């Protein structure tokens, strides 16, 4: 067992071994969030702006640059920088708000998550800081002048990085023990001339004392200062006593984490020292802005670094609970410090050597490691006491005339946990379905954390009493696709294989809560009681003809092919879980019959054969949403989109183990089907056996599967060189048009950014490639392969004359997804499109960004630039096909994903060294 796995084991079995207590738990944007919004109309972006952030204390959380905190974000550490030209101290990342960007909110910085172990015993981060004044106004003004049909204006476009006039600022953390953290900041001047950089490692307390109550005020004080180094003492009633040691000549600057009301509102400050005091001292020579008594609740160590052209300087600090008598300046640094840093780097390499398949070449291994590093850096302490927040808005749960702008039905919710974020700048809040996908990658490195994330969403302080899972802070009551059960059974099986037995108690607890959520869906989203489900936008934002979360302009309602497919898959996953539980706990046997019945009714409703208008179109061989009008008429909305591909994903293979153990269940099941032959007339026959005697629950029988796959694998339709598009390319020349009352609704193929403001305009499901649904398609193909085996082949691409098994099709799609990030034969990464610096510059070209979605034709990254969250699942795809052969899949079934073959057995597929 390597050192990092030993730490993970130690953290699991001993509460005193708190290796995860300190980590990258700061947000990268706390301003502009719902939590900090106390406006009348719920305008979070304008209520708390970036310009205010340096001067205004946050209520619910903290942000910072390359920062860390304890697991309740009480004591925070991050970097501040000043190049001598910027109008403000660089304490946090800058980006455009939703209304400022021509495609919604967008961070305008270059920063990279280079490395992290799961316990954060070692972490590495890179920030690229221009030497010229940061072009704040240029970015805002130019972006406002662009339309939704224009590309975004990026920081590189401003010319601020021309002639390489910038600093590379590397930040490394290495834990000597759970409470002893070595910090190394290395600055490299990439420019052609000498340059000066002010580096201010900053320590502060989250302000918990200004909002009423009896919270004690913590304090920092200077403990030592001299040419050899400085020491800062921290005292917090919950965190305890801490020391920050700083090597070398530097000055300590102290202020308070209190709002500068004088600047923001013209109201005298309640304390003489305020949040932006260090900014005002350094940039405006305000000597009175910092506390000469050397105490406060925010403090910086101020280094002034002179760097020659191409030169480098290093700063070392140490944050520890060790008292000065036992770990003073004399022992904090030197060989002991260097030894910790070198050891943790080596241990990180050793850990990832056991995670990343050795058959992957150097470039692919680098992509996979940065994907996993991004997943781990994207953890954040998310704090939101909704009942308190609503009370502070004057909302009353017993008086509907006194309500808040949002979340007024979620008084029960209290969030105060470390949660995996989609993107800590663009989406610094959790989303339930994103989180389910996050666990696919997280469990490659930390199964315990993945399980804990899934459990959080089902806890009583998250899950609504009516059974609804919370969607996201902008509207907890919105509806996300129900993929939680799928992630749960996947995580359970993975742990069972790795450890020799699964955590049945955890699976049972999860099942009980998921049962509430399933019932909520049945009661709330099946309007007519006919097993055809709605759900609104369901995470696919602008994919529909209309805004599917708003009242339809036609009246009536939509029966959604994706909503119904999600419920079919949910039924299958609940069937899987109940069957697993029933193997040792027979009380769950009736649940297997319940969920099999649910699946059959839902699958049959999807096809809805006969004279009625159902979601399946026999002529097209495709699924569509059905518009049900108030006068009883119905119409298919014939948009070829991911909505129509998701029924393909409602498939799960079963090995029949429960049926073998309980033959009475098999008999009841046969009697049930014999009495209702219509339930299997148009879907795959669940009784029929396939390869190895396996059975399959699937909406699509073999004939319909071939028709859908023929469309999906057509390069003129869905199949891109870089994965499966969210909308068929067919709509580029044949847009779908729906007219009503003189108004035209149009859906066209848009391979890049959206041209509408539907759902904020910052995402687009009308053409680009989205990683999570592609992974669902890969999963589905593997499930079909386990049933059909090698006898089922399909032309891929359609019209190519090349036939593949479904395993090979899954691998082909996975390889295309991976090729987004890998260098092609010309040494270029499609993810970076035509951006020359990222393609050619040796200091940029191996730095990987994991975007939210990707151009449907050329693979260029789009949307949120650090959405390692669900785009990080590429690590799972790379791992799967580097360690699993087709033969192994057929032999081991669903367990094959967790059992690795030797590199020799997996050789010949994907990018190999």
């Amino acid at each position: 067992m390597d050192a990092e796995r030993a730490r993970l084991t130690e953290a699991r079995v001993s509460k005193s071994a708190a290796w995860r207590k300190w980590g990258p738990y700061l947000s990268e944007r706390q301003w502009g969030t719902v939590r900090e919004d106390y406006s009348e109309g719920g305008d979070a972006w304008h209520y708390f702006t970036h310009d205010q952030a340096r001067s205004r204390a946050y209520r619910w959380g903290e942000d910072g640059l390359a920062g860390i905190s304890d697991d309740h974000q009480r004591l925070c550490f991050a970097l501040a920088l000043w190049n001598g030209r910027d109008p403000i101290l660089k304490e946090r990342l800058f980006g455009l708000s939703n209304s400022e960007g021509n495609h919604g909110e967008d961070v305008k910085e270059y920063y990279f998550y280079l490395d992290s172990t799961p316990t954060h015993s070692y972490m590495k981060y890179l920030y690229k800081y221009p030497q010229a004044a940061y072009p704040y106004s240029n970015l805002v003004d130019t972006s406002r002048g662009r339309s939704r049909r224009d590309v975004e204006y990026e920081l590189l476009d401003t010319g601020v990085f021309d002639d390489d006039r910038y600093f590379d600022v590397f930040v490394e953390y290495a834990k000597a023990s759970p409470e002893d953290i070595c910090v190394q900041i290395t600055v490299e001047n990439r420019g052609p001339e000498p340059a000066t950089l002010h580096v201010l490692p900053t320590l502060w307390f989250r302000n918990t004392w200004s909002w009423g109550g009896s919270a004690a005020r913590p304090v920092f004080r200077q403990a030592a200062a001299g040419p050899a180094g400085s020491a800062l003492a921290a005292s917090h009633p919950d965190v305890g006593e801490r020391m920050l040691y700083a090597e070398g000549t530097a000055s300590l600057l102290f202020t308070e984490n209190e709002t500068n009301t004088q600047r923001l509102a013209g109201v005298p400050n309640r304390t003489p020292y305020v949040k932006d005091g260090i900014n005002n001292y350094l940039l405006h020579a305000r000597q009175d802005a910092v506390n000469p008594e050397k105490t406060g609740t925010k403090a910086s160590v101020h280094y002034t670094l002179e760097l020659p052209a191409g030169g480098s300087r290093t700063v070392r600090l140490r944050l520890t609970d060790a008292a000065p008598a036992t770990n003073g300046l004399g022992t904090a640094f030197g060989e002991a410090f260097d030894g910790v840093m070198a050891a943790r780097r080596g241990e990180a390499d050793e850990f990832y050597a056991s995670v990343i398949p050795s058959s992957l070449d150097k470039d692919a291994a680098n992509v996979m490691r940065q994907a996993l590093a991004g997943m781990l850096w994207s953890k954040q302490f998310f704090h939101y006491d909704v009942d308190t927040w609503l009370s502070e808005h004057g909302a009353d749960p017993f008086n509907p005339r006194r309500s808040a702008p949002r979340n007024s039905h979620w008084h029960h919710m209290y969030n105060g946990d470390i949660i995996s974020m989609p993107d800590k700048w663009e989406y610094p809040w959790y989303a339930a379905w994103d989180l389910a996908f996050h666990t696919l990658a997280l469990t490659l490195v930390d199964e315990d954390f993945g399980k804990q994330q899934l459990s959080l969403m089902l806890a009583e302080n998250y899950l609504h009493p009516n059974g609804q899972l919370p969607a996201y802070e902008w509207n907890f009551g919105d509806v996300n696709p129900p993929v939680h059960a799928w992630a749960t059974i996947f995580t359970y099986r993975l742990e069972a294989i790795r450890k020799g037995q699964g955590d049945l108690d955890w699976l049972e607890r999860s099942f009980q809560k998921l049962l509430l959520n399933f019932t909520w869906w049945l009661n709330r989203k099946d309007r007519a009681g006919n097993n055809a489900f709605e759900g609104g936008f369901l995470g696919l934002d602008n994919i529909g003809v209309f805004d599917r979360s708003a009242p339809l302009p036609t009246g009536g309602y939509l029966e959604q092919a994706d909503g119904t497919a999600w419920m079919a898959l949910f039924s299958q996953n609940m069937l899987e879980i109940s069957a697993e539980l029933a193997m040792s706990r027979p009380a769950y046997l009736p649940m297997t019959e319940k969920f099999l019945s649910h699946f059959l009714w839902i699958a049959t409703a999807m096809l809805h054969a006969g004279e009625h208008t159902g979601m399946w179109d026999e002529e097209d061989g495709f699924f569509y949403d059905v518009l049900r009008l108030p006068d009883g008429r119905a119409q298919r909305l014939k948009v070829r989109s991911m909505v129509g591909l998701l029924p393909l994903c409602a498939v799960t293979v079963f090995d029949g183990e429960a049926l073998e153990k309980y033959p009475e269940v098999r008999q009841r099941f046969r009697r049930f089907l014999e009495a209702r032959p219509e339930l299997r007339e148009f879907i795959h026959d669940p009784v029929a056996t396939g390869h190895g005697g396996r059975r399959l629950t699937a909406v699509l029988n073999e004939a319909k599967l071939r028709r859908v796959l023929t469309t999906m694998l057509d390069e003129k339709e869905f199949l891109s060189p870089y994965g499966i598009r969210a909308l068929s390319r067919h709509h580029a020349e044949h847009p779908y048009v729906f007219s009503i009352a003189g108004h035209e609704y149009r859906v066209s193929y848009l391979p890049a950014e959206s041209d509408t403001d539907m759902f904020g305009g910052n995402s687009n499901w009308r053409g680009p490639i989205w990683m999570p649904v592609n992974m669902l398609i890969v999963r589905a193909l593997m499930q079909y392969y386990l049933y059909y085996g090698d006898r089922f082949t399909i032309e891929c691409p359609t019209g190519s004359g090349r036939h593949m098994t479904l395993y090979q099709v899954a691998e082909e799609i996975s390889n295309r997804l991976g090729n987004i990030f890998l260098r092609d034969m010309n040494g270029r990464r499609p993810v970076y499109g035509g951006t020359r610096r990222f393609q050619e510059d040796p200091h940029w070209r191996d730095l990987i960004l994991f975007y939210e979605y990707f151009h449907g034709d050329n693979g260029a990254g789009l949307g949120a630039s650090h959405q390692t969250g669900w785009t990080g699942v590429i690590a799972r795809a790379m791992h799967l096909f580097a360690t699993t052969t087709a033969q192994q899949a057929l032999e081991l079934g669903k367990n094959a994903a967790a059992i690795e073959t030797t590199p020799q057995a997996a050789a010949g597929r994907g990018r190999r060294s």
Side-chain angles (χ1 to χ4, degrees), residues 653-844:
V653 70
F654 292 86
D655 60 14
E657 195 175 7
L659 292 177
E660 291 296 326
K661 183 171 184 177
Y662 301 106
E664 68 273 19
V665 174
R666 186 204 306 264
Q667 294 166 7
R668 288 198 296 270
F669 177 43
R670 284 190 177 276
R671 287 198 298 268
F672 174 83
L673 289 176
E674 287 169 0
R676 300 166 182 84
E678 72 279 6
L679 288 184
R680 53 175 172 166
E681 183 177 358
F682 300 105
I683 68 172
H684 175 81
D685 186 352
V687 174
T689 57
H691 184 92
R694 297 184 182 113
R695 290 175 173 81
L696 189 74
T697 57
V699 172
L700 301 175
N701 60 24
E702 183 172 347
K704 291 183 174 66
L705 175 61
R706 289 186 179 279
R707 296 191 69 187
V708 173
L709 287 177
T710 297
T711 301
M712 186 184 82
L713 299 176
D714 189 336
E715 293 180 314
K716 298 188 295 296
E717 297 251 13
F718 287 96
L719 184 61
S720 160
Y722 305 101
I724 303 298
R725 303 177 176 106
L727 189 84
S728 170
R729 206 171 188 277
H730 168 83
H731 291 301
E733 297 180 2
H734 306 92
Y736 180 81
V737 179
F738 185 94
S739 299
I740 182 172
H743 189 82
E744 182 178 278
Y745 295 86
R746 178 181 294 261
V747 177
S748 299
Y749 174 69
L750 302 170
E753 302 278 14
S754 171
D755 62 358
T756 77
D757 60 358
M758 192 185 294
F759 282 89
N762 62 338
S763 68
N764 181 27
W765 284 82
R766 295 184 175 182
I769 297 148
W770 289 77
M771 198 66 65
V773 286
N774 269 263
M775 285 302 295
L776 278 174
I777 290 169
V778 169
R779 172 207 174 265
L781 292 167
M782 291 295 288
Q783 296 287 311
Y784 289 118
Y785 178 69
L786 296 180
Y787 179 82
Y788 288 111
D790 292 330
R791 77 165 182 82
F792 185 117
T793 62
I794 191 83
E795 196 175 28
C796 180
T798 299
S800 66
R802 179 186 176 196
H803 284 75
M804 297 185 181
T805 66
L806 294 177
Y807 176 93
Q808 291 169 328
V809 174
E811 184 180 31
E812 176 70 15
I813 292 171
S814 178
N815 286 343
R816 290 183 183 220
L817 294 170
N819 287 341
I820 291 172
F821 307 101
L822 298 170
R823 290 181 185 169
D824 62 18
M825 63 182 65
N826 298 313
R828 302 174 68 83
R829 301 186 192 276
V831 64
Y832 290 130
T835 307
R836 290 188 60 183
R837 188 173 289 272
F838 272 107
Q839 297 290 14
E840 300 171 6
D841 192 314
H843 298 301
W844 295 67

Side-chain angles (χ1 to χ4, degrees), residues 82 89 198 200 253 277-286 302:
W82 187 49
L89 191 62
H198 298 264
L200 295 95
L253 305 174
I278 295 169
N279 175 90
N280 296 336
Y281 168 83
L282 183 62
L283 275 71
H284 307 299
R286 288 266 311 276
H302 179 206

Side-chain angles (χ1 to χ4, degrees), residues 520-740:
W520 177 86
W521 270 88
L522 291 180
N523 292 337
R524 296 295 185 94
K525 296 302 172 184
D526 180 9
R527 182 186 303 237
N530 62 357
N531 294 293
F533 289 83
E534 301 170 63
F537 85 113
L538 284 176
L540 306 188
D541 294 5
N542 66 336
I543 202 166
V545 180
F546 317 113
D547 180 345
R548 300 192 302 169
S549 289
L552 302 181
T554 59
Y557 63 96
L558 287 176
E559 290 178 345
Q560 297 180 211
D562 56 338
T564 309
W566 289 124
M567 281 302 290
L569 179 61
F570 196 176
S571 302
Q572 293 169 350
N573 301 144
M574 294 296 277
L575 173 58
E576 283 187 279
I577 296 173
S578 56
E580 180 66 25
L581 291 169
M583 291 300 293
S584 57
R585 301 174 187 184
Y588 285 95
L589 276 175
M591 286 296 178
T592 64
E593 298 175 59
K594 167 186 169 64
F595 285 107
L596 180 57
S597 173
H598 277 302
F599 165 72
L600 292 171
W601 287 112
I602 292 168
T604 301
M606 287 208 74
L607 294 166
H608 207 244
E611 61 184 32
H612 302 293
T613 304
M615 300 171 196
W616 172 256
D617 188 294
E618 181 62 29
E619 181 180 354
D620 293 355
F622 205 73
F623 289 93
Y624 303 107
D625 284 347
V626 175
L627 174 62
R628 300 286 177 187
L629 296 167
D631 61 6
R633 290 179 297 134
Q635 176 180 347
R636 294 189 189 99
L637 301 177
K638 291 195 172 187
V639 179
R640 295 185 200 169
S641 73
M642 188 60 65
V643 166
L645 290 180
L646 284 171
L648 167 83
C649 300
V651 54
T652 301
V653 70
F654 292 86
D655 60 14
E657 195 175 7
L659 292 177
E660 291 296 326
K661 183 171 184 177
Y662 301 106
E664 68 273 19
V665 174
R666 186 204 306 264
Q667 294 166 7
R668 288 198 296 270
F669 177 43
R670 284 190 177 276
R671 287 198 298 268
F672 174 83
L673 289 176
E674 287 169 0
R676 300 166 182 84
E678 72 279 6
L679 288 184
R680 53 175 172 166
E681 183 177 358
F682 300 105
I683 68 172
H684 175 81
D685 186 352
V687 174
T689 57
H691 184 92
R694 297 184 182 113
R695 290 175 173 81
L696 189 74
T697 57
V699 172
L700 301 175
N701 60 24
E702 183 172 347
K704 291 183 174 66
L705 175 61
R706 289 186 179 279
R707 296 191 69 187
V708 173
L709 287 177
T710 297
T711 301
M712 186 184 82
L713 299 176
D714 189 336
E715 293 180 314
K716 298 188 295 296
E717 297 251 13
F718 287 96
L719 184 61
S720 160
Y722 305 101
I724 303 298
R725 303 177 176 106
L727 189 84
S728 170
R729 206 171 188 277
H730 168 83
H731 291 301
E733 297 180 2
H734 306 92
Y736 180 81
V737 179
F738 185 94
S739 299
I740 182 172

Side-chain angles (χ1 to χ4, degrees), residues 485-536:
W486 165 57
T488 298
I489 188 61
F490 174 87
T491 300
Y492 168 83
R493 284 215 169 91
L494 184 72
E495 184 181 41
I497 293 299
R498 295 278 177 83
K499 296 181 179 178
Q501 64 179 26
D503 188 345
L504 270 177
D505 291 338
W506 175 78
L507 187 66
E508 184 176 39
R509 290 193 302 271
S510 299
F511 180 80
Q512 297 293 343
K513 295 297 184 70
L514 289 165
L515 189 59
L516 298 177
N517 184 236
F518 189 88
T519 304
W520 177 86
W521 270 88
L522 291 180
N523 292 337
R524 296 295 185 94
K525 296 302 172 184
D526 180 9
R527 182 186 303 237
N530 62 357
N531 294 293
F533 289 83
E534 301 170 63

Side-chain angles (χ1 to χ4, degrees), residues 242-522:
R242 292 289 185 281
M243 297 294 296
L244 178 67
Y245 299 108
E247 184 184 41
T249 303
S251 57
L252 298 182
L253 305 174
F254 292 80
T255 188
E256 302 290 343
N257 187 14
E258 295 270 7
T259 298
N260 185 345
T261 56
Q262 183 66 50
R263 174 182 177 250
L264 297 175
V267 175
N269 293 323
R270 68 176 185 175
T271 61
Y273 309 107
V274 289
K275 184 177 178 180
D276 55 6
I278 295 169
N279 175 90
N280 296 336
Y281 168 83
L282 183 62
L283 275 71
H284 307 299
R286 288 266 311 276
Q287 300 296 315
D288 61 344
V290 295
N291 190 345
E293 299 298 320
K294 303 292 185 179
T295 66
T297 51
K298 178 180 178 181
S300 293
V301 184
H302 179 206
Y303 292 93
T304 303
L305 305 184
E306 305 289 343
L307 293 100
S312 174
R313 289 282 305 275
T314 298
V315 169
R316 296 177 179 85
L317 304 101
R318 194 159 187 164
L319 179 63
T320 179
D321 63 347
T326 60
N327 193 9
L329 287 171
T331 57
F333 303 106
E335 291 183 3
F337 182 101
D338 294 341
V340 170
M341 193 66 66
R344 297 298 174 265
R345 285 191 198 112
E347 290 162 3
D349 290 342
E350 183 184 18
F351 173 76
Y352 279 107
S354 72
V355 172
I356 298 172
S358 59
S359 54
L360 293 181
D361 68 18
K362 184 178 179 180
D363 188 38
N366 176 53
V367 169
M368 186 172 171
R369 185 157 174 174
Q370 288 192 49
L372 293 169
M375 296 295 308
L376 295 167
W377 267 96
S378 294
K379 298 179 185 179
Q380 177 185 311
F381 175 69
F382 186 89
H383 188 212
Y384 192 12
D385 180 344
V386 179
D387 187 57
T388 297
W389 185 85
L390 290 169
S391 297
E392 291 170 349
H393 280 74
D396 184 346
F398 304 106
N399 183 354
R401 289 175 295 180
R402 294 179 60 194
S403 63
R406 52 177 56 90
N407 297 329
S408 57
H409 297 294
W410 292 78
H411 281 265
H412 76 287
M413 180 175 277
Y414 179 87
N415 300 164
D417 299 282
I418 304 300
I419 306 180
S420 178
M421 296 290 120
D423 179 318
K424 290 204 298 185
W425 193 94
E426 189 146 343
Y427 305 118
W429 32 261
Y430 64 86
W433 84 301
D434 294 55
L435 194 61
F437 286 101
H438 295 186
T439 62
L440 299 189
L442 287 169
T443 51
L444 273 171
V445 292
D446 192 347
E447 292 162 7
D448 294 330
F449 183 71
K451 285 171 61 180
Q452 184 260 354
Q453 294 294 283
L454 292 170
S455 295
L456 267 184
M457 295 298 108
L458 299 175
E460 64 278 359
N461 53 321
Y462 285 77
L463 186 73
H464 196 281
N466 66 17
Q468 184 179 10
L469 282 167
Y472 40 76
E473 68 171 18
W474 290 92
N475 182 4
F476 283 128
D478 217 332
V479 185
N480 274 185
V483 290
H484 213 81
W486 165 57
T488 298
I489 188 61
F490 174 87
T491 300
Y492 168 83
R493 284 215 169 91
L494 184 72
E495 184 181 41
I497 293 299
R498 295 278 177 83
K499 296 181 179 178
Q501 64 179 26
D503 188 345
L504 270 177
D505 291 338
W506 175 78
L507 187 66
E508 184 176 39
R509 290 193 302 271
S510 299
F511 180 80
Q512 297 293 343
K513 295 297 184 70
L514 289 165
L515 189 59
L516 298 177
N517 184 236
F518 189 88
T519 304
W520 177 86
W521 270 88
L522 291 180

